[in-house]
Amino acid sequence: MRGTILKFKSVNDTYGHLAGDEVLRETAKRLPSSVGSYDFVGRSGGEEFLVVLNNCNPAYALARAEEIRKASARTPVQTCSGPVPITMSFGLLLSQEWSGLPLEELLQQADSALNAAKAAGRNCVKITIPKIAAVDTHSQARELAPQRR
């Protein structure tokens, strides 16, 4: 799942870059405390974060993502310039089958869901399901068949 702090540029413009840095650090602390010890959280650049809900049943993934989103906004971040309220949007890539898809493809699909969340009004979670390329079994069979001369 990809997440972003919404309107982060306005945080820097309104409260200053030091406060913006404090918001990033606090978000980097809040996210891991919102997930299980078996999940993974990392900053993926700028104000974006990557959250891996390891072994999460897809039936519960949206609820978990909503809990994380709500927890990130529950309390304003205390900064040198005063409290800064934040909200986040998330793009959730929903699947238990990751084999065969390169990491870049998975991240791109999570980004698409994140963009959909921003377009839907922000401060929400949108889901995507991995697009797995169709396999041309006829061409694979030709490639695997022994060559006759």
Side-chain angles (χ1 to χ4, degrees), residues 25-139:
R25 284 193 300 274
E26 180 61 23
T27 302
K29 288 179 189 174
R30 286 183 184 185
L31 288 174
S33 67
S34 300
V35 300
S37 61
Y38 40 82
D39 297 325
F40 303 97
V41 175
R43 186 169 163 212
S44 60
E47 65 275 13
E48 292 193 356
F49 293 83
L50 181 64
V51 179
V52 177
L53 301 175
N54 195 26
N55 294 322
C56 179
N57 182 328
Y60 303 111
L62 179 59
R64 296 243 355 251
E66 282 292 345
E67 289 170 5
I68 295 165
R69 182 190 62 77
K70 289 175 185 175
S72 68
R74 191 167 288 127
T75 307
V77 175
Q78 297 302 318
T79 71
C80 59
S81 299
V84 177
I86 64 163
T87 56
M88 295 187 75
S89 284
F90 288 94
L92 175 62
L93 180 62
L94 189 62
S95 179
Q96 289 181 307
E97 299 298 324
W98 305 109
S99 62
L101 292 175
L103 177 62
E104 294 80 17
E105 175 79 17
L106 296 171
L107 292 175
Q108 179 188 25
Q109 291 181 34
D111 277 340
S112 294
L114 176 57
N115 290 335
K118 290 180 195 176
R122 303 175 189 240
N123 196 22
C124 63
V125 178
K126 290 296 178 185
I127 298 172
T128 190
I129 297 171
K131 297 168 188 74
I132 299 175
V135 176
D136 181 357
T137 55
H138 294 295
S139 63

Side-chain angles (χ1 to χ4, degrees), residues 2-22:
R2 290 286 274 241
T4 189
I5 301 171
L6 298 171
K7 300 184 179 182
F8 185 71
K9 182 182 180 321
S10 70
V11 170
N12 282 333
D13 292 346
T14 304
Y15 299 95
H17 289 273
L18 289 177
D21 289 345
E22 290 175 290

